[in-house]
């Protein structure tokens, strides 16, 4: 009985302190203002939809996004492989109180060039996410109000480029790389080159982010099954990750309308 209570307390504490970078993030790059000051007022990037995996069934996504200074609010144009096809949509996740919101989605194809942007709206204290497929012209926009805490609007000042969700390495795209390019970032309406660092949360498939230059970041991975971190895959749920969509797990974000990135 006491052991069960202790385990429950640990789960509750973990959920209470959960924030980004989160479980499931593999290679990622983090960007901040070169002055250490200001809020993100605009960001954009392009990338190309990857090859299809050799086998279907997994759910994962490359994405970029902006985050609040406390790492609890994430605004992101996402590009998930949903098990049998690539999609794009906009997503917002808030850790406290828990809230997840997704836009309409659209099927995209390998080789399509995607464009995403996030724009600050000062008169409304909100951000607009714009996501489009430059090949077929489809686009979607979503306005996200900025959360207010103790009478103050939160400040978004962190940038992330991420590859998310842990699976066997042979379930990822065969090209082994995604490149975010033509990156443009503005803090307080001034274009800057952020200071980037790279890291990972979950060490799987040698998935790593690389800063190529001032306007390009790549994320690479090994597609051989031998590179899989099987203990980590089991810990994160492996194929059972699909069944967790839509319900809260400690340290893991929920799904909302779509299978959650």
């Amino acid at each position: 009985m006491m052991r069960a209570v202790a385990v429950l307390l640990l789960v509750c504490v973990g959920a209470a302190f959960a924030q980004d970078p989160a479980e499931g993030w593999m290679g990622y790059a983090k960007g901040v203002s070169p002055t250490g000051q200001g809020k993100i007022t605009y960001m954009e990037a392009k990338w190309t939809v990857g090859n299809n995996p050799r086998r279907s069934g997994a759910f994962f996504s490359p994405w970029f996004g902006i985050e609040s200074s406390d790492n609890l609010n994430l605004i992101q144009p996402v590009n998930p492989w949903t098990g049998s096809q690539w999609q794009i949509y906009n997503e917002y996740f808030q850790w406290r109180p828990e809230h997840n919101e997704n836009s309409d989605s659209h099927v995209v194809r390998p080789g399509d060039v995607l464009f995403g942007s996030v724009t600050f709206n000062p008169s409304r204290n909100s951000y607009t996410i714009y996501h489009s497929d430059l090949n077929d012209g489809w686009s979607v926009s979503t306005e996200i109000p900025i959360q207010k805490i103790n009478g103050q609007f939160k400040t978004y000042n962190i940038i992330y480029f991420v590859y998310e969700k842990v699976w066997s390495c042979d379930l990822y795209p065969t090209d082994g790389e995604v490149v975010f390019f033509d990156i443009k970032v503005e803090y307080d309406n001034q274009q800057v080159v952020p200071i980037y660092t790279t890291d990972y949360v979950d060490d799987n498939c040698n998935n790593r982010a690389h800063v190529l230059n001032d306007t390009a970041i790549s994320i690479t991975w090994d597609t051989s099954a031998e590179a899989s971190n099987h203990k980590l895959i089991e810990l994160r749920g492996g194929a059972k990750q699909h069944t967790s969509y839509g319900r809260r797990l400690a340290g893991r974000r929920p799904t909302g309308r779509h299978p959650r990135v």
Side-chain angles (χ1 to χ4, degrees):
M1 178 64 178
M2 291 299 295
R3 181 178 180 183
V5 171
V7 169
L8 180 60
L9 286 173
L10 285 172
V11 170
C12 292
V13 169
F17 289 97
Q19 64 183 59
D20 294 319
E23 291 180 358
W25 290 27
M26 296 185 290
Y28 70 88
K30 176 183 179 180
V32 296
S33 167
T35 66
Q37 304 293 322
K39 69 164 66 73
I40 297 166
T41 50
Y42 183 75
M43 179 180 180
E44 68 177 46
K46 298 173 185 172
W47 69 101
T48 302
V49 178
N51 292 344
N52 291 343
R54 285 187 290 267
R55 296 191 290 131
S56 61
F59 178 88
F60 51 82
S61 181
W63 54 265
F64 80 85
I66 66 170
E67 182 109 39
S68 57
S69 59
D70 57 6
N71 273 299
L72 295 176
N73 305 72
L74 180 62
I75 294 172
Q76 52 184 157
V78 298
N79 172 213
W81 172 258
T82 62
S84 60
Q85 61 187 8
W86 290 102
Q87 292 187 9
I88 58 172
Y89 52 88
N90 297 329
E91 186 153 12
Y92 169 68
F93 181 75
Q94 177 180 291
W95 282 101
R96 303 172 201 161
E98 179 188 317
H99 173 68
N100 191 75
E101 181 178 335
N102 296 318
S103 72
D104 291 336
S105 62
H106 177 66
V107 175
V108 295
R109 293 168 176 78
D112 285 2
V113 177
L114 307 180
F115 173 84
S117 67
V118 183
T119 305
F120 175 59
N121 306 306
S123 64
R124 300 190 296 276
N125 283 299
S126 67
Y127 281 92
T128 297
I129 321 171
Y130 177 80
H131 206 355
S132 67
D133 183 332
L134 298 181
N135 287 66
D136 65 17
W138 186 89
S139 65
V140 63
S141 294
T142 309
E143 186 169 357
I144 304 297
I146 298 173
Q147 187 183 22
K148 210 173 185 179
I149 299 294
N150 298 324
Q152 299 293 320
F153 289 101
K154 288 193 174 186
T155 298
Y156 283 79
N157 58 5
I158 303 169
I159 297 161
Y160 284 116
F161 294 87
V162 181
Y163 215 94
E164 186 172 358
K165 290 297 185 189
V166 174
W167 293 86
S168 175
C169 301
D170 58 339
L171 290 172
Y172 293 118
T174 57
D175 38 0
E177 180 181 42
V178 60
V179 178
F180 296 91
F181 62 97
D182 290 349
I183 298 169
K184 179 181 177 182
V185 179
E186 295 181 4
Y187 280 82
D188 295 338
N189 300 307
Q190 298 295 316
Q191 186 170 346
V192 302
V193 177
I195 296 174
Y196 289 109
T197 55
T198 62
D199 205 345
Y200 57 86
V201 176
D202 286 343
D203 188 6
N204 185 45
C205 307
N206 196 32
N207 189 294
R208 298 291 187 270
H210 314 273
V211 180
L212 303 180
N213 54 52
D214 290 348
T215 61
I217 289 173
S218 71
I219 301 178
T220 59
W221 57 90
D222 189 335
T223 61
S224 64
E226 293 76 16
S228 301
N229 185 335
H230 296 291
K231 289 184 179 179
L232 182 61
I233 293 168
E234 182 178 358
L235 177 66
R236 295 290 180 257
K240 294 181 181 179
Q241 288 182 96
H242 274 293
T243 65
S244 72
Y245 298 152
R247 67 182 181 91
R248 182 68 171 181
L249 297 178
R252 201 177 285 174
R253 294 196 294 275
T255 67
R257 292 174 52 199
H258 302 284
R260 176 64 189 99
V261 172

